[in-house]
Amino acid sequence: VQVFAVEMVYIPQGSFYVGDGTTSTVQGQLHAAGSVTTPFQITSEAELTLGGGGAGSLGNNNTSGMYTADDFNNTTSKTLPAAFPKGYGAFYVMKYEVSQQQWVDFFNTLTDTQKASRDITGGVLNSTGKASDGTVNRNTLSWTSGLASAGANAYVACNFLSWMDQAAYAAWAGLRPFTELEYEKMSRGTANAVANEYVWGTTNITQVTGISNSGAANEIASNAGNGLCVYGNHGSVQGPLRTGFAAWGSTNRQTAGASFYGVMELSGNLWERPVSVGNATGRDFTGTHGSGLLSTNGFATNSDWPGYVTAEVTAATGSGFRGGLWTGTAVLARVSDRYNAANVDGSRSRFSGARCARTSP
């Protein structure tokens, strides 16, 4: 018998806002129909109309500035079913991104066949893996056979994870993916929206410019500031930092870069991988939980999850990106930024990590 602990944060039932009403660097931000500067309040888990411009519908700035446009806009409407988790209902979310040690703990429970599918150390760099058992963008995982090793950066967030990898981890852990509406709930909480805000509730952001205690359990940024965030591709960083790196006894929400509920690294570090509302396959998501088991080949098998094909989650259609990344601009780290919210990408890139959720009973 093996026991693995995953620290979760409880996100209580209640109303909240999506979209922040920004008028600068507009990138698909959500808003109430009729006014792009009015955030939309989610008040239940009931069915929603997306786009079309009608009263009570949820707009998206007519898909302005999105890398991949939603399939709804000011004139074309779609329906977001009642079964799609919208964030009003209570749920749990992982406090931290999956660390390299957490990924190895999961990986080492798999069969050899399953490991071959979930091996992130081989393949083609930034397409199907990191193509190395050495250090690449602070990822130090190694595996050829038998048990994998997390290496020197066991506490660092694990990059090179694809949507299919995240789905497999979620299924194994009895969790599920979260939606992009839940992403805004866990970030903003019940507070009013602030234009261009980051998850710590202000528009202030401080780039991490160096690393102290590299690889250790107490790894931190070598500089401090409000909204300390790994973004901007700083030459002294070149990868994600330890999960929870900016929080310790004397920090507050802003200096720790924490969300309303204390969820860490929702802005910067690695892309978050939520279920998108901008894609028909994403909208079919009903929030089922993993059973603890994977397919023989090492894939999740939940039929409502984005990327499900025939019997396994082997694609990424219906997923997207939120929250920015260590190489990206500060703009991408904003709570309501949706530049990549509908971008379908199944690659194992140096920018992508994993985080999972679970509906509260």
Side-chain angles (χ1 to χ4, degrees), residues 209-263:
T209 57
I211 304 171
S212 296
N213 309 319
S214 181
N218 62 341
E219 175 178 288
I220 59 174
S222 59
N223 61 308
N226 286 331
L228 199 58
C229 181
V230 186
Y231 77 96
N233 199 23
H234 194 280
S236 298
V237 180
Q238 294 301 293
L241 259 66
R242 172 181 66 87
T243 59
F245 73 92
W248 54 87
S250 62
T251 53
N252 56 30
R253 178 185 174 188
Q254 288 186 38
T255 54
S259 83
F260 183 90
Y261 296 105
V263 185

Side-chain angles (χ1 to χ4, degrees), residues 163-183:
W163 171 262
M164 293 77 80
D165 293 326
Q166 174 175 284
Y169 183 91
W172 169 82
L175 303 175
R176 63 164 174 84
F178 57 86
T179 72
E180 61 168 314
L181 301 184
E182 290 178 316
Y183 169 78

Side-chain angles (χ1 to χ4, degrees), residues 140-316:
T140 55
L141 267 66
S142 62
W143 179 75
T144 52
S145 64
L147 298 179
S149 171
N153 287 346
Y155 302 101
V156 173
C158 189
N159 48 356
F160 294 99
L161 298 181
S162 68
W163 171 262
M164 293 77 80
D165 293 326
Q166 174 175 284
Y169 183 91
W172 169 82
L175 303 175
R176 63 164 174 84
F178 57 86
T179 72
E180 61 168 314
L181 301 184
E182 290 178 316
Y183 169 78
E184 294 208 30
K185 172 69 173 287
M186 67 179 80
S187 298
R188 180 176 290 122
T190 59
N192 290 329
V194 176
N196 302 310
E197 70 183 324
Y198 301 102
V199 297
W200 42 89
T202 75
T203 59
N204 300 319
I205 188 168
T206 302
Q207 182 187 33
V208 171
T209 57
I211 304 171
S212 296
N213 309 319
S214 181
N218 62 341
E219 175 178 288
I220 59 174
S222 59
N223 61 308
N226 286 331
L228 199 58
C229 181
V230 186
Y231 77 96
N233 199 23
H234 194 280
S236 298
V237 180
Q238 294 301 293
L241 259 66
R242 172 181 66 87
T243 59
F245 73 92
W248 54 87
S250 62
T251 53
N252 56 30
R253 178 185 174 188
Q254 288 186 38
T255 54
S259 83
F260 183 90
Y261 296 105
V263 185
M264 303 303 298
E265 284 87 59
L266 287 174
S267 283
N269 222 35
L270 294 172
W271 276 122
E272 302 293 332
R273 297 302 312 269
V275 180
S276 178
V277 302
N279 178 287
T281 305
R283 292 191 295 271
D284 286 339
F285 179 61
T286 61
T288 63
H289 295 133
S291 66
L293 300 175
L294 302 181
S295 71
T296 300
N297 293 319
F299 292 89
T301 59
N302 294 62
S303 60
D304 64 306
W305 289 11
Y308 180 83
V309 180
T310 307
E312 301 171 313
V313 178
T314 56

Side-chain angles (χ1 to χ4, degrees), residues 27-28 65-68 271 321 332 336-343:
Q27 297 187 151
M66 298 185 72
Y67 179 79
T68 300
W271 276 122
F321 299 84
L332 296 174
S336 294
D337 188 275
R338 299 186 65 245
Y339 174 72
N340 263 328
N343 181 20

